[in-house]
Protein backbone atom coordinates (compact mmCIF):
# COMPACT_ATOMS: atom_id res chain seq x y z
CA UNK A 1 0.00 0.00 0.00
CA UNK A 2 1.24 3.49 -0.81
CA UNK A 3 0.57 5.60 2.26
CA UNK A 4 3.35 8.10 1.55
CA UNK A 5 2.55 11.53 2.92
CA UNK A 6 -0.63 10.34 4.65
CA UNK A 7 -1.88 12.01 7.82
CA UNK A 8 -2.36 9.05 10.17
CA UNK A 9 -2.70 11.18 13.31
CA UNK A 10 -4.53 9.17 15.99
CA UNK A 11 -5.12 6.30 13.55
CA UNK A 12 -6.01 2.92 15.05
CA UNK A 13 -3.68 0.60 13.14
CA UNK A 14 -3.60 -2.18 15.75
CA UNK A 15 -2.78 -5.49 14.00
CA UNK A 16 -2.90 -3.75 10.58
CA UNK A 17 -1.31 -5.49 7.60
CA UNK A 18 1.25 -2.91 6.45
CA UNK A 19 3.59 -5.44 4.86
CA UNK A 20 5.60 -3.73 2.08
CA UNK A 21 3.76 -0.43 2.70
CA UNK A 22 5.38 2.86 1.72
CA UNK A 23 5.26 5.00 4.86
CA UNK A 24 7.53 7.77 3.58
CA UNK A 25 6.61 11.12 5.12
CA UNK A 26 3.59 9.87 7.07
CA UNK A 27 2.40 11.65 10.20
CA UNK A 28 2.10 9.06 12.96
CA UNK A 29 1.29 11.50 15.78
CA UNK A 30 -0.57 9.55 18.48
CA UNK A 31 -1.20 6.63 16.06
CA UNK A 32 -1.35 3.13 17.50
CA UNK A 33 0.52 0.50 15.47
CA UNK A 34 0.75 -2.20 18.16
CA UNK A 35 0.79 -5.61 16.52
CA UNK A 36 0.96 -4.18 12.99
CA UNK A 37 2.89 -6.17 10.38
CA UNK A 38 5.64 -3.87 9.09
CA UNK A 39 7.56 -6.57 7.22
CA UNK A 40 9.51 -4.90 4.39
CA UNK A 41 7.69 -1.59 4.96
CA UNK A 42 9.63 1.46 3.75
CA UNK A 43 9.80 4.51 5.96
CA UNK A 44 11.68 7.78 6.01
CA UNK A 45 10.84 11.32 7.03
CA UNK A 46 8.16 9.97 9.41
CA UNK A 47 6.86 12.75 11.66
CA UNK A 48 5.10 12.71 15.01
CA UNK A 49 5.36 10.29 17.90
CA UNK A 50 3.09 7.26 17.77
CA UNK A 51 1.37 6.04 20.94
CA UNK A 52 2.31 2.44 20.16
CA UNK A 53 4.59 0.47 17.86
CA UNK A 54 4.88 -3.24 17.12
CA UNK A 55 7.08 -5.19 19.50
CA UNK A 56 10.73 -4.76 18.53
CA UNK A 57 10.24 -1.51 16.56
CA UNK A 58 11.30 2.02 17.38
CA UNK A 59 11.22 5.39 15.64
CA UNK A 60 14.77 6.54 14.96
CA UNK A 61 15.57 9.63 12.91
CA UNK A 62 12.24 9.55 11.09
CA UNK A 63 12.49 5.85 10.27
CA UNK A 64 10.69 2.86 11.74
CA UNK A 65 13.47 0.50 12.69
CA UNK A 66 13.23 -3.13 13.74
CA UNK A 67 15.61 -4.42 16.35
CA UNK A 68 15.87 -7.53 14.13
CA UNK A 69 17.52 -5.48 11.32
Amino acid sequence: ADLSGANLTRADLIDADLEEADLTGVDLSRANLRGADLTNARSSAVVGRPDGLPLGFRLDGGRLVSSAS
Side-chain angles (χ1 to χ4, degrees):
D2 183 359
L3 298 173
S4 58
N7 182 351
L8 300 176
T9 300
R10 296 182 185 262
D12 180 355
L13 298 169
I14 295 172
D15 297 325
D17 180 3
L18 298 173
E19 185 173 354
E20 297 187 7
D22 183 354
L23 301 172
T24 303
V26 298
D27 185 347
L28 292 178
S29 300
R30 310 277 325 266
N32 190 345
L33 286 89
R34 287 183 182 95
D37 181 358
L38 296 175
T39 305
N40 296 321
R42 295 171 305 285
S43 65
S44 63
V46 172
V47 297
R49 180 163 301 281
D51 281 350
L53 290 172
L55 189 62
F57 277 83
R58 70 183 188 284
L59 193 56
D60 185 13
R63 294 184 57 227
L64 292 167
V65 179
S66 169
S67 57
S69 327

